[in-house]
Each structure stands twice: as C-alpha cells, then as structure tokens.
Amino acid sequence: MKQYNVGIIGATGMVGQRFATLLENHPWFNVKVLAASPRSAGMTYEEAAGKRWKLADPMPESMKSMKLLDATADIQKIAEQVDFCFCAVDMKKDEIKALEEAYAKAECPIVSNNSAHRFTPDVPMVVPEINPEHIEIISEQRKRLGTKKGFIAVKSNCSIQSYVPALNPLRKFGITKVLACTYQAISGAGKNFETWPEMVDNLIPYIGGEEEKSEQEPLKVWGKIEGDKIVSASSPAITTQCLRVPVSDGHTAAVFVSFENKPSKEDILKLWADFKGVPQELELPSAPKQFIHYFEENDRPQAKLDRNLEGGMAVSTGRLREDTQYDYKFVSLSHNTLRGAAGGGVLLAELLAAKGYFD
C-alpha cells in the first residue's frame, strides 16, 4: 500500500492525542503535520500538550518536538504538506462546518471525528463494517464543493458504536423497535478522573445532545444513497437514554429489540460470530479479525476487562435472552475513544485509502 502523509487537526485534545498514539508507526500513514488553536501554534507538541496529556499511552517520541501549526490560519500551508487530515477540534458546530469545508476546498480531504457534518446530506457517516458503500457519495460532494480531491467523511457518534454493530446483522429479520440505554465513560467528555473529580462515585443522567444523536444517527448509517444525497432509513423506531458513569473508557449499552420475524437465540449468536465486513475482507491494518465477540458469562462484558479487545476495535456482547416486552435483550460494549472515536476514524481512513480516495 502507498504511504500517505497526514495531519492531525486538533492534536492537543483527548481525541487528537488518541489519533497521535494510533498513528505512531502506522503502516500506511505518516504524521507530517500537527495543528491546534492559535494559542498553541508555534509551540512544540510536548510544550502544548505535555502537561495536558490525558492518555495512559505516552506521547509519541517522534511527535514531541513537532511544531504546531494554526488550524485555522495555516490551512493552505497544511494542505500543501499532506494527503489528508484527521480532524478532532473543539469549536462551535458552525465553526467546525466552515473549517472542514475550507480544508476540503483547499483540496485536503478531511476524516472527521466531529459531529458538525454528520447530517450534511452528501457527507458519508461511516462505520466501515456496516455502510462502506456510503463513501461513494463523495463524488457528488466534490461536485458541490467544486473540488477534485477534497472532501469530508465523518465517523458516527461513539455511543451508537456500542450497540448498532450488534443490531446490524439482525436487520434481515426486520427490526421494528429498539430501546437502548447507554452508560458512557468520562473520556467521552474529553476528561479523566483527575480533571473531573466530581464524577468519582457519581452518575449523571444527562449528556447534552447525546440521545438525539443515538436515535437519529443509526438511521443515516442504515440509509441509502439516492441521487446526490444519503437518505436515512425510516425504521426501526429507536429510543435511547444516555447516562454518564464513573468509568474511564468504554461505553456500555443495555439493548432491547423486537422483530417482524423473531429469530432464535442460536440464529443471533451465529450471525454475530460470522459477521464480517469490508475491513475484514480487505484486512485493513486497524480492523479487528473478529468484529463481534459474545461472552457466555453472566457478568460480561465488563468495561475494565473487555474494552481493549482486539486493540479496542472489537465490539463485545453478552447476556442475550428473551424479554417480556421486547423479543430480546442484550448488553453490548465498545471502547469509546478507540472504536468509537479515533480508532474508528483511522479505520475509515484506511478504507478510503484502500479505495483510492486520497490519490
């Protein structure tokens, strides 16, 4: 595979830090540029982010002395040095939209962790094992933007990646309704226990905007390209509750699901065990070999034990059983900053690279 020079926009935040650690020694991607806010521009990565480093993994040695560029003022300079950029900035939604479009129009493709463009009709929001075909909308997006190479592709919200992968292979039975309660780690808010001590021995039953995302985003992921836009699926009916819990990493979901044609438990377990997608077929570097793992033990999956399965890129399920009001219920878990955020972004970039979208 060809080598690509890449940039990380928003490199000092938690997701930007995770991108940095995942891209160190990546077989296809070479980090050429780091960019952040104007207040960090001109500083080395170590100077700007060293005291604010939030991950257990250390800052990559190869990036410590890299000088940060200004994410907003240096767009053209950045675009000239890279084949594409990852974006994980902390800005207002309208500002993010404008920034990402500015990069795309500078012929710098953007693989975004941000939510701003998730419902832009010609921007693909991709979970690579589920809807890889949505990247085909990029040709229409380029027409709108007037670009030859530049485009924006986004990954979905971290919360839906804890349960939508487990539901996806079951759609053949006609999913009619879903109730999902998510129990979300504090790293999803870009924090750890040192920076958010009030989360110790605590639970907060509200995460701003999260329930709307969790109910609407699966329908776009399950949608279809029609002309110059992606049209969201009309079903199933999804309702969610999203709670912040005192866990460092790992979003867990309690899922209840009903079907038009109720499958057997054996049917479900076989579909989970056999589920493979394009990333597995192409053997993309970040793809888990087994996407969905099922645990027979009643007390699994657990965030502390299972979030790092297959480099944090696999989804863990357990406690599948029949329900009195829905057909089935189960528990599902994914690592929110790996599969759910930066890792999902890297996997999406690998898919785009394999399909020639950065060439």
Side-chain angles (χ1 to χ4, degrees), residues 32-321:
K32 189 80 172 174
V33 172
L34 300 175
S37 65
R39 66 179 177 274
S40 298
M43 301 170 70
T44 67
Y45 195 30
E46 188 171 35
E47 289 168 344
K51 291 180 180 177
R52 294 187 286 136
W53 192 260
K54 296 176 180 177
L55 306 181
D57 297 320
M59 179 181 288
E61 287 292 332
S62 61
M63 301 180 204
K64 283 184 177 179
S65 60
M66 290 178 68
K67 289 273 183 81
L68 290 166
L69 295 182
D70 186 325
T72 51
D74 294 329
I75 292 173
Q76 195 59 47
K77 186 176 180 180
I78 293 167
E80 290 168 359
Q81 297 182 62
V82 300
D83 295 298
F84 71 95
C85 281
F86 295 99
C87 188
V89 293
D90 183 11
M91 299 165 66
K92 293 177 180 176
K93 189 172 181 178
D94 288 347
E95 293 173 345
I96 294 172
K97 272 190 166 184
L99 182 72
E100 292 181 343
E101 284 210 359
Y103 275 94
K105 288 177 179 177
E107 301 294 356
C108 177
I110 288 292
V111 178
S112 179
N113 185 74
N114 304 302
S115 66
H117 273 293
R118 286 185 192 150
F119 281 94
T120 301
D122 59 9
V123 171
M125 177 173 65
V126 179
V127 180
E129 286 89 349
I130 296 176
N131 61 328
E133 72 281 0
H134 281 196
I135 64 175
E136 295 168 16
I137 198 69
I138 286 170
S139 59
E140 296 296 328
Q141 186 193 142
R142 283 171 167 161
K143 289 179 190 175
R144 174 175 64 84
L145 295 175
T147 60
K148 292 182 179 179
K149 182 184 174 187
F151 65 86
I152 302 160
V154 302
K155 51 152 290 297
S156 68
N157 184 267
C158 53
S159 67
I160 78 165
Q161 301 201 48
S162 63
Y163 62 91
V164 167
L167 291 171
N168 193 70
L170 311 183
R171 293 178 69 216
K172 64 185 287 186
F173 298 108
I175 298 173
T176 57
K177 59 179 181 176
V178 175
L179 164 63
C181 295
T182 61
Y183 305 88
Q184 301 186 202
I186 63 173
S187 55
K191 298 181 181 180
N192 56 27
F193 288 115
E194 287 182 13
T195 58
W196 204 3
E198 58 266 40
M199 272 308 301
V200 176
D201 190 32
N202 196 15
L203 179 152
I204 299 175
Y206 174 72
I207 305 171
E210 202 76 1
E211 285 154 5
E212 293 82 357
K213 294 173 188 174
S214 296
E215 292 171 357
Q216 295 166 13
E217 289 188 18
L219 299 176
K220 182 173 180 180
V221 169
W222 287 330
K224 291 183 179 179
I225 295 174
E226 295 184 10
D228 60 357
K229 60 182 179 292
I230 297 167
V231 176
S232 294
S234 58
S235 63
I238 303 172
T239 185
T240 66
Q241 285 228 89
C242 300
L243 293 77
R244 188 74 70 193
V245 295
V247 171
S248 58
D249 294 299
H251 288 356
T252 300
V255 186
F256 302 77
V257 57
S258 289
F259 301 91
E260 289 176 14
N261 303 297
K262 183 180 177 181
S264 69
K265 182 176 179 180
E266 290 70 29
D267 289 335
I268 295 173
L269 293 176
K270 186 173 190 320
L271 283 167
W272 283 348
D274 293 345
F275 185 24
K276 293 188 187 324
V278 170
Q280 286 71 37
E281 293 166 8
L282 295 177
E283 297 182 343
L284 299 179
S286 299
K289 288 184 170 55
Q290 178 72 36
F291 185 28
I292 299 174
H293 293 248
Y294 184 76
F295 288 90
E296 295 285 353
E297 299 92 332
N298 283 330
D299 61 352
R300 302 283 286 278
Q302 293 181 28
K304 202 167 189 176
L305 298 179
D306 304 313
R307 60 192 171 205
N308 290 314
L309 201 60
E310 298 213 41
M313 292 298 289
V315 173
S316 302
T317 58
R319 301 205 69 210
L320 175 66
R321 59 221 192 274

